[in-house]
Amino acid sequence: MKRSPTSSVALVVLAAAPAFAQRKATIEHVPEIPFTSVSSLLKLPPAEYLGESVAVATNSKGHIFVYHRSANTRLFEFDQAGNFVKEIGGGYYGFEFAHSVRVDKADNIWTVDEGTNMVTKFSPDGKVLMVLGRRPPAVQGVQTFPGGPKAPAQKYVFCRPTDVGWDPQGNIFVSDGYCNNRVVKYDKNGRFLAQAGSEKAGKALGEFDLPHGLQVDGQGNVWVADRSNFRYQVLDNNLKPMREIANLGVGWTVCISAGPHQYAFLSNSNPNGNMPGTWDITGEIYKAELAGTVLGKFGHPAKLAPGFQVVHMMDCRNPNEIVTGEIESWRVQKLILQPAKGKAEGVQ
């Protein structure tokens, strides 16, 4: 794959647009980043299969964690070579409908379960260390998606949460998500500190309409994939809005790389269902400087690797090796990016 001679493109701020199922990015002249795909990365035990691979993460050893929707929601760990290590949380009450898995700087594993409204912190060996939120008790009967006026969002109760992240001080940030429309900040012990947004969807800065992904950079700024507003928002550590990025398509998920020089990876994923025309205008992932320069893009929708079928989450601990989790192909890929060529320009 050849790279365009254009070296970089600056992010721009655009107004939010009418809601529909997919959105073509309006940024232009973005160079392609060449990559190779390792699509047979994971080696499953006999008679085991991945379901919808909605969430992936790596730890400091290079182990890969896959949180997937199968006959039951399950969390698998693989070593750096892709060999199966163990299942974490088999039969756990907090697993029902997987949405996110992340690994913190101490190699603790965090899951966000949309079905149980719970965020769980596991130790590296799989012991439950902390629980945020609460699963609706079975005695209350089936809990339906809220319709009509919504109850006020509560400090310690989620409504279909989507992601989790931490700042350098260990404060916890949760995007809460499908029926609330907010980002919540807790201290390292799980005590509520602040929130941005509310149970109501909104379009202003600091408001959200399905905050679908979240990560925190080394400065403590919070990056939110504000999916149904077709944008990303960047908040400061106190959850005050700083800026929006509204020219990269849908705003499906975000990843911030590790190390002293961090990059943001932002996905304009093709949507569930492969609606007509979606493959022509969505599916790519953008690599950007935190200050605002898009360095390039890579990827496209396809049933077979190296194409993507709904990249729901990605891991970018190593910014040159992106691990993607896909819903509709039930697949995990490692994408090895080629080194950037040329000098970045136009940093905002």
Side-chain angles (χ1 to χ4, degrees):
M1 209 182 302
K2 292 184 179 180
R3 190 170 186 212
S4 160
T6 305
S7 61
S8 65
V9 182
L11 297 169
V12 299
V13 174
L14 300 176
F20 51 92
Q22 64 274 345
R23 171 65 53 86
K24 182 177 181 179
T26 57
I27 194 169
E28 296 181 336
H29 310 300
V30 180
E32 292 284 338
I33 299 176
F35 70 93
T36 57
S37 167
V38 183
S39 58
S40 56
L41 174 66
L42 305 180
K43 305 170 184 65
L44 287 154
E48 290 284 8
Y49 301 90
L50 290 182
E52 294 183 341
S53 301
V54 296
V56 290
T58 63
N59 67 11
S60 63
K61 299 176 181 178
H63 286 206
I64 300 167
F65 298 85
V66 182
Y67 194 35
H68 63 108
R69 303 167 183 166
S70 187
N72 300 296
T73 279
R74 305 176 75 180
L75 175 59
F76 288 172
E77 179 181 353
F78 301 85
D79 68 16
Q80 60 270 35
N83 299 305
F84 183 82
V85 175
K86 64 178 181 287
E87 180 173 2
I88 297 169
Y92 177 54
Y93 186 61
F95 287 179
E96 181 65 37
F97 196 65
H99 201 274
S100 174
V101 63
R102 302 286 187 180
V103 177
D104 66 22
K105 63 183 179 181
D107 279 349
N108 298 305
I109 308 134
W110 296 65
T111 58
V112 180
D113 196 285
E114 179 191 341
T116 63
N117 296 329
M118 290 175 61
V119 177
T120 303
K121 177 184 180 180
F122 294 92
S123 68
D125 61 0
K127 179 181 178 181
V128 175
L129 300 178
M130 180 187 291
V131 171
L132 296 172
R134 187 181 185 217
R135 179 173 183 151
V139 294
Q140 293 181 357
V142 176
Q143 304 293 300
T144 60
F145 189 91
K150 296 180 181 178
Q154 302 178 53
K155 292 181 179 180
Y156 299 102
V157 177
F158 303 125
C159 192
R160 299 183 68 187
T162 55
D163 211 346
V164 64
W166 317 269
D167 65 15
Q169 290 72 44
N171 294 309
I172 306 161
F173 298 81
V174 177
S175 51
D176 180 36
Y178 275 87
C179 41
N180 285 327
N181 293 278
R182 62 176 182 161
V183 172
V184 192
K185 179 180 180 180
Y186 301 91
D187 69 15
K188 63 182 180 180
N189 297 311
R191 180 179 179 180
F192 176 89
L193 296 176
Q195 76 172 30
S198 68
E199 68 281 357
K200 298 178 181 179
K203 296 183 180 300
L205 287 180
E207 297 177 343
F208 309 96
D209 190 353
L210 181 45
H212 192 257
L214 170 151
Q215 283 295 272
V216 185
D217 66 28
Q219 301 301 311
N221 297 324
V222 183
W223 293 63
V224 184
D226 190 6
R227 191 169 108 182
S228 293
N229 278 328
F230 304 102
R231 66 183 178 184
Y232 295 88
Q233 290 197 61
V234 184
L235 315 176
D236 70 15
N237 196 254
N238 295 312
L239 301 183
K240 303 302 180 184
M242 298 171 64
R243 67 183 190 273
E244 66 175 358
I245 302 162
N247 60 342
L248 299 184
V250 177
W252 195 278
T253 188
V254 59
C255 187
I256 306 294
S257 66
H261 188 146
Q262 295 185 299
Y263 299 94
F265 292 84
L266 309 132
S267 176
N268 180 27
S269 178
N270 58 307
N272 298 326
N274 295 307
M275 290 86 78
T278 58
W279 283 19
D280 297 328
I281 63 172
T282 60
E284 73 280 7
I285 297 170
Y286 294 88
K287 179 182 180 181
E289 298 279 6
L290 298 190
T293 299
V294 173
L295 301 173
K297 64 180 180 178
F298 54 94
H300 64 277
K303 288 289 188 182
L304 298 177
F308 304 146
Q309 276 294 285
V310 190
V311 175
H312 192 265
M313 180 168 286
M314 51 192 164
D315 177 273
C316 61
R317 180 183 292 267
N318 179 341
N320 296 316
E321 295 185 358
I322 311 304
V323 182
T324 59
E326 302 171 42
I327 294 180
E328 293 203 359
S329 286
W330 301 5
R331 179 171 57 207
V332 172
Q333 295 187 63
K334 178 184 284 187
L335 311 178
I336 302 172
L337 307 187
Q338 294 189 11
K341 299 176 182 177
K343 183 179 179 181
E345 299 173 357
V347 175
Q348 294 180 337

